[in-house]
Amino acid sequence: MENLVNKGINTENLPNKEGYFGEYGGSYLPPALEKVMKEVEEAYEKISKDPTFIAELKDLNEHFTGRPSPVYHAKRLSVAAGGAEIYLKREDLNHTGAHKINHCLGEVLLAKRMGKKKVIAETGAGQHGVALATAAALLGLECDIYMGEIDVKKEAPNVSRMRVLGAKVVSVTRGTRTLKDAVDAAFEAYLADPVTQIYCIGSVVGPHPFPMMVRDFQSIIGMEAREQMLSYAGSLPDAVVACVGGGSNAMGMFSAFLDDKDVSLYGVEPAGKGLDTNMHAATISKGTVGILHGFKSLVLQDKDGEPLPVYSIASGLDYPGVGPQHSYLHSIGRVNYKTATDREAVEAFYALSRMEGIIPALESSHAVAYAVKLAKELGKGKKILVNLSGRGDKDIDFVMEHYPLEEYEPEENLKDGYDEFLKHIGGEKN
């Protein structure tokens, strides 16, 4: 393995040397951080070709994380959808319960090689925070996690996990008290001391080289899935579906299929309470070009260029920006960006739990919801691969309190209970 990513999955050689994917990306930073970020870029360029680093990361992926994560044929869900066969890439089975561990191990290994003493980060749903705290504990670094006050309360199990692992959880009480404000606070902390600590960004966002670096660490998802579909399902999928907030799990999955023009790619954004309201976080669907957190991309912003308050039932998706490579792939039409509402996500959350015995994260539930709709559209004989980016342990208490099971229970006289579950995510009564 010469590099962290296979040759061929990034055929357009992006980003360029300045960190741009077309017009998106780059690095828009205060002077105090420019030199530091250049050091990060140079260190990453070096270790990404270093056989000893690659071997160490490979060993941790296999023996610590438990890779490769399997691909699973969701047969009952496929029958319920009544069309294409649905397969799941089980990133929820990774150690720590999500895809976030993939780039966290890489980032903390990089930090240690750079001689850093502490890693800091933001988190929304808490999965990035848990993964970074885990990697920091494993490799002996201090760890500070910035989290919006609302998310601290909403994702209490993950907050406890971070603290047990030795991380300091900093509750951010200003602004919307969610992910965007957590990112702001983490950037400020990094600016205060960029020498002994490093900001380990939790998605394919931020200034160059982070969109590239996180994508590369996450590309293992797509590389595995591509081989697994050929072996397990006998062919490449006709469509690949992943949820998109900042976009790390989607970019990791999509990267291996960009050259496969017969494979349609779908990124699913959170429509929240509806795209006709101000209660959503559908950046690509509703955003305009702007600069946020050190990079240029599509942003949900007001007329003065200030980020708008955003919302999603899934804390990991409520971000007013999106990774610059996603904006680029949207601009050239390579990826289709769709949406799923809160209601659709909860229906999918319960449906997958009841039909397959898999409790998905609310973030991943957005992708499952759209995949069920898409299965109906594509029809029999087609295959859909969904990136199940995380497990739903963190969401169970919140969902049961605010979206009670009784409102989602199927009527007894409906065949296998499928129809009621699928009422809001594309199913029809037989």
Side-chain angles (χ1 to χ4, degrees):
M1 191 180 206
E2 292 181 26
N3 296 290
L4 286 170
V5 294
N6 281 351
K7 294 180 179 179
I9 69 166
N10 191 27
T11 55
E12 296 183 77
N13 198 31
L14 293 175
N16 64 15
K17 291 182 179 180
E18 288 73 41
Y20 282 93
F21 303 85
E23 69 170 297
Y24 304 105
S27 184
Y28 298 81
L29 293 169
L33 284 181
E34 289 179 356
K35 181 181 177 182
V36 175
M37 203 58 63
K38 188 66 177 177
E39 291 173 355
V40 174
E41 179 187 350
E42 290 172 353
Y44 175 68
E45 287 293 335
K46 183 178 180 180
I47 63 100
S48 67
K49 301 175 180 64
D50 182 346
T52 61
F53 179 91
I54 294 169
E56 185 175 7
L57 182 58
K58 183 176 184 294
D59 182 76
L60 289 175
N61 280 333
E62 181 178 351
H63 299 290
F64 185 74
T65 302
R67 303 206 70 90
S69 63
V71 162
Y72 167 73
H73 184 191
K75 294 179 182 178
R76 293 191 69 215
L77 187 66
S78 299
V79 170
E85 298 299 311
I86 298 173
Y87 294 79
L88 308 174
K89 176 61 170 168
R90 297 291 308 277
E91 290 297 288
D92 60 306
L93 294 179
N94 293 340
H95 179 47
T96 73
H99 71 290
K100 296 291 188 179
I101 191 67
N102 299 330
H103 68 255
C104 285
L105 285 174
E107 287 179 323
V108 177
L109 280 173
L110 172 65
K112 193 162 187 177
R113 291 216 174 190
M114 293 180 70
K116 304 296 183 181
K117 304 300 182 184
K118 179 190 287 188
V119 291
I120 62 174
E122 84 298 333
T123 195
Q127 288 303 133
H128 175 60
V130 169
L132 192 68
T134 299
L138 173 69
L139 296 167
L141 273 67
E142 296 177 48
C143 180
D144 289 352
I145 303 295
Y146 292 80
M147 192 172 188
E149 184 182 35
I150 289 175
D151 295 330
V152 168
K153 295 176 181 178
K154 184 177 175 182
E155 305 291 357
N158 273 345
V159 174
S160 297
R161 292 169 75 192
M162 286 182 266
R163 288 174 173 157
V164 167
L165 289 161
K168 177 183 177 183
V169 180
V170 181
S171 179
V172 180
T173 59
R174 69 192 189 197
T176 62
R177 297 174 293 146
T178 55
L179 183 56
K180 183 264 178 187
D181 302 286
V183 175
D184 289 343
F187 259 110
E188 289 170 9
Y190 187 35
L191 185 60
D193 178 17
V195 177
T196 64
Q197 59 185 3
I198 186 171
Y199 184 7
C200 296
I201 293 177
S203 192
V204 285
V205 299
H208 181 63
F210 283 97
M212 171 184 70
M213 185 164 69
V214 174
R215 175 204 65 195
D216 291 353
F217 288 135
Q218 289 293 347
S219 67
I220 192 170
I221 301 173
M223 286 189 283
E224 287 178 0
R226 196 176 191 282
E227 294 177 2
Q228 289 167 322
M229 285 299 292
L230 289 170
S231 174
Y232 179 44
S235 68
L236 293 178
D238 297 282
V240 176
V241 182
C243 65
V244 175
S248 59
N249 91 89
M251 205 62 252
M253 176 64 94
F254 294 164
S255 61
F257 297 95
L258 291 175
D259 293 344
D260 299 303
K261 301 306 180 185
D262 291 334
V263 178
S264 298
L265 306 176
Y266 295 87
V268 186
E269 296 190 294
K273 304 296 184 184
L275 295 181
D276 57 344
T277 74
N278 62 356
M279 298 288 286
H280 66 79
T283 305
I284 291 179
S285 301
K286 290 289 189 176
T288 55
V289 178
I291 295 172
L292 176 68
H293 295 141
F295 69 106
K296 182 180 181 182
S297 191
L298 291 173
V299 179
L300 289 168
Q301 57 190 337
D302 62 23
K303 62 182 181 180
D304 297 320
E306 291 297 317
L308 290 168
V310 293
Y311 161 82
S312 171
I313 191 175
S315 297
L317 301 182
D318 61 354
Y319 184 62
V322 68
Q325 191 166 6
H326 282 292
S327 291
Y328 171 71
L329 292 170
H330 168 67
S331 71
I332 64 172
R334 180 62 187 97
V335 178
N336 306 289
Y337 291 89
K338 306 294 184 178
T339 63
T341 64
D342 284 358
R343 175 77 195 200
E344 290 169 334
V346 174
E347 289 281 354
F349 177 91
Y350 280 124
L352 192 63
S353 299
R354 288 297 183 88
M355 295 178 200
E356 300 291 348
I358 299 170
I359 303 174
L362 283 172
E363 290 78 12
S364 311
S365 298
H366 286 72
V368 175
Y370 185 76
V372 171
K373 288 183 179 180
L374 184 62
K376 200 80 172 178
E377 293 175 14
L378 294 183
K380 301 286 187 180
K382 302 293 185 179
K383 299 183 179 73
I384 298 172
L385 175 63
V386 180
N387 193 16
L388 199 70
S389 55
R391 67 177 182 235
D393 307 40
K394 65 184 180 61
D395 298 314
I396 289 176
D397 291 343
F398 173 81
V399 171
M400 294 295 284
E401 179 180 355
H402 297 281
Y403 300 86
L405 185 62
E406 293 76 14
E407 296 182 12
Y408 295 82
E409 285 280 17
E411 297 174 15
E412 290 184 5
N413 63 333
L414 294 179
K415 179 183 177 183
D416 295 327
Y418 291 147
D419 301 281
E420 185 69 14
F421 275 131
L422 297 175
K423 182 170 59 178
H424 293 280
I425 54 175
E428 298 177 1
K429 291 187 177 182
N430 295 320

